Amino acid sequence: MKRTTAAVLLALATLTACSSGDSSTDSKPDKPAAVPAYKITQQDDSGTQRVVAVDVDSTKDMKTVFEDVAAKLKDDAGWFVEINCAEGGARLANGKKAVGSTGAAATGLDDGATEFEPLPDAECPA
C-alpha cells in the first residue's frame, strides 16, 4: 500500500511540475518598443536634486526615451529629466524620477515612481 501511495504522489507531483499554469502556449511576449536615438548632454553627479538633459531629433516616442533614461538612474536623488530638441534646443518635455527617500522628498513622488509630461505644441524645427 505504501508503494502505491508513493507512486501516485510521485505521478501527481510530476504532472504538477510539468504544468505551467498558462494554457496559452502559442503566445509571444510583447516586443519592447524601440528607443529612438538620443544624446545625454548633461547629467549631474551630486546633490539631492539632479538634472539630466537629453537631446532628441523629433517628438516621436519621447516617453520611450524618458523611460529608457529613467531606468538607468540609480543614485539616491530626485532626478529631473529635460528632453530638448537637438536642433535649436527647444524644450519638448519634462520628467522626474524619485530614487530612494531622498528622491521621494525632492520630487514629491514615491520611491521608484516617475512622472512624464510632454509640453503642449512642442516641436522640433522641420
Side-chain angles (χ1 to χ4, degrees):
M1 177 86 170
K2 286 184 181 180
R3 279 192 174 169
T4 305
T5 303
V8 169
L9 289 175
L10 180 60
L12 285 173
T14 302
L15 288 173
T16 303
C18 291
S19 171
S20 69
D22 182 9
S23 61
S24 61
T25 57
D26 60 350
S27 67
K28 296 178 184 174
D30 290 338
K31 182 179 177 184
V35 179
Y38 65 87
K39 180 180 181 184
I40 294 177
T41 58
Q42 173 192 347
Q43 182 168 340
D44 295 342
D45 59 4
S46 64
T48 59
Q49 294 186 11
R50 301 184 190 183
V51 174
V52 179
V54 180
D55 281 0
V56 296
D57 292 327
S58 79
T59 58
K60 185 177 184 209
D61 296 325
M62 288 187 303
K63 185 168 185 179
T64 304
V65 170
F66 168 74
E67 290 169 349
D68 191 61
V69 170
K72 297 172 183 171
L73 303 174
K74 305 290 185 188
D75 289 352
D76 189 6
W79 292 93
F80 296 86
V81 179
E82 302 170 350
I83 298 182
N84 304 308
C85 183
E87 187 177 324
R91 178 73 50 87
L92 302 172
N94 294 308
K96 56 186 175 178
K97 179 181 181 180
V99 178
S101 58
T102 302
T107 62
L109 301 174
D110 291 338
D111 178 17
T114 61
E115 183 177 283
F116 175 76
E117 182 180 352
L119 298 178
D121 302 323
E123 292 185 22
C124 282

